[in-house]
Amino acid sequence: MQRNRKSAAIFIAREICLIALFVGIYGLMYAPALALITSGRYFGGADGDAGIYIWLLEENTKHVISWPSRGFDVGFFYPFGRALAYSDNFLLPSLIGKLLLIAGVSLPTAYNLLHLIATTLNGLFSYHLGAFLTRDWRIGLFVGSSFM
């Protein structure tokens, strides 16, 4: 029993160190933008591809992840009915964004934090995949930092 607790503590400590490492890599890659995380401006601007995700975050938090929820009856992509399926890839980030908005964070800051979280988790999971497939943690770090 004691051995399981010790190995779990080592695993958690390693994961925390990896997350800190990938947040640091994120900070190096996006240093100018990271300084503006709470400035009220969106990473990548609010036009084009980034604009649709900002809009989906706002609409999902208002109409889908609320009570009463309008669910699939939201007219996101009018005239197509039941169009929530077009935005289902952004439901989990919208749920996290809703929690941030409830906590009092502004919409631009919530979007920027979602970008930070998603990019960091992408690096972390890519690290684990690369390290597992090659059995080499150094290659895992290269893979993780490459896919951020």
Side-chain angles (χ1 to χ4, degrees), residues 3 5 36 61 74 83 86 92-94 98 134 138 140 143 147:
R3 181 178 174 143
R5 287 185 186 160
L36 302 173
T61 56
V74 177
Y86 295 123
L92 179 61
S94 295
K98 178 74 169 190
T134 63
R138 293 170 295 224
V143 170
F147 281 94

Side-chain angles (χ1 to χ4, degrees), residues 18-90:
L18 283 169
I19 289 170
L21 175 69
F22 285 115
V23 168
I25 292 171
Y26 182 93
L28 291 174
M29 290 170 39
Y30 299 105
L34 197 57
L36 302 173
I37 199 163
T38 59
S39 68
R41 296 171 54 194
Y42 296 98
F43 287 170
D47 299 328
D49 289 341
I52 187 124
Y53 288 106
I54 293 165
W55 179 76
L56 283 173
L57 175 64
E58 187 173 15
E59 294 301 312
N60 281 342
T61 56
K62 283 182 186 175
H63 302 295
V64 179
I65 306 170
S66 59
W67 190 257
S69 176
R70 291 177 50 200
F72 280 91
D73 294 326
V74 177
F76 280 169
F77 297 100
Y78 181 80
F80 304 107
R82 304 183 64 77
L84 184 62
Y86 295 123
S87 66
D88 62 352
N89 67 321
F90 211 68

Side-chain angles (χ1 to χ4, degrees), residues 102-115:
I102 289 171
V105 174
S106 68
L107 186 67
T109 303
Y111 178 81
N112 294 342
L113 287 173
L114 286 172
H115 187 274

Side-chain angles (χ1 to χ4, degrees), residues 112-132:
N112 294 342
L113 287 173
L114 286 172
H115 187 274
L116 170 69
I117 292 167
T119 305
T120 301
L121 288 177
N122 190 26
L124 180 68
F125 294 145
S126 298
Y127 160 80
H128 282 296
L129 180 63
F132 175 77

